[in-house]
Amino acid sequence: MKIFLSLLSLILITSCNTNKSVTKNSEDSFPFYIGTYTNKDSKGIYKYALNADGSFTNHGLKAITENPSFLTLSSDKKNLIAANEIDINNSGAITSFAIENDSLILNNTITSGGTNPCFVATNSDNYVLTANYSSGTVGLLHLKKDGTLSDLLATQTHIGKGSTSRQEAPHAHSVWFEPNSNTIISVDLGTNQLWFSQIDTKTNTLQPTEPLLLTMAEGAGPRHLSFHPNSKWIYVLNELNNTVTRIEKSSNKDYLVKESISTLPSDYKEESTSADIHISDDGAFLYTSNRGHNSIAMFKVDKTNGALSLIDYESTHGKDPRNFSLSPSNDFIVVANQNSDNLVSFKRDKKTGTLQFVDETTTPTPVCILFE
């Protein structure tokens, strides 16, 4: 499939000259990229560093590209892949960049297999999956050795609908390679289900696999998920009813829907939608972001059965925290507040799971955080 010329015209690359004073990363800091929406002041993908004390260093704009709303890395971390959340000629785009020193260099741009891709993921074999929200489809590509993306290999089309006004058609919101497994889990807010498949590497297609579908509570609207390190529990974040649902994987590989817990205070009655979910590397604590309540909800994970118990809420010091990430050391959490144009860092207590505000900095319409 040919690259859309109209998409290429949207993409320019900035070099390390955007910030000549930054030539290498400090050993006591963690560099990360910011994906954004470009409908206001943003130009594309930005780079920052989280310093040892939790403060930020701004490395500037690294790539001019339209609506890079979700980012991921190749297995060798030499290439960055962005989902361009757009609809041009009934297609969105996936763009690959080579990471060279302090620059992002365009490799190529390929159609995503649907419209408005809002999520992209890679595995150790450099297969690339993208969730196309508006079309309710999942696209399969492959990243070649030279860093360029293959043409679209296959598309998985979801069918069905849920029970709310946001669920009148399929809306694939994320897609995940399950750790230590060949299973792919596609999370569809519109059909209110998890879709299961595998990659047939001989035909480069997505093949349905048992249990095929797993349905959430009526009106839940599943968005993202997080895998527990023990590979037995999966936590599904439901955007519309603001809950986390625990999925238990049994010894015979069945997926069982267990209990759900609210991400909001019981007395909070204003509008809010859940956005992102992450679990600490030790599996002891889980976090979710609330847009509207503008908070990070903190939960303790019961090590015997995986059940969640609420610890507390921490203000995100901004509006609509769409995405957040634990630092590689798990000592900090960085939050991207989409509609207040700021990043915020919190020191994380590894014993209690609680957060303490450290620093904030401005950045235009941030919606994705990706540590190198």
Side-chain angles (χ1 to χ4, degrees), residues 156 182-186 195-199 206-209:
Q156 178 189 79
N182 294 323
T183 300
I184 293 166
I185 304 177
S186 305
W195 293 64
F196 293 79
S197 61
Q198 291 182 348
I199 298 174
L206 291 168
Q207 298 297 324
T209 185

Side-chain angles (χ1 to χ4, degrees), residues 110-124:
I110 296 293
T111 179
S112 65
T115 52
N116 292 314
C118 60
F119 195 93
V120 63
T122 56
N123 71 355
S124 59

Side-chain angles (χ1 to χ4, degrees), residues 316-346:
T316 61
H317 296 257
K319 186 176 181 181
D320 296 328
R322 181 182 174 95
N323 181 250
F324 68 94
S325 181
L326 278 79
S327 66
S329 65
N330 276 212
D331 289 325
F332 296 93
I333 281 181
V334 177
V335 180
N337 290 303
Q338 176 181 345
N339 290 319
S340 54
D341 300 323
N342 67 324
L343 300 175
V344 181
S345 64
F346 298 90

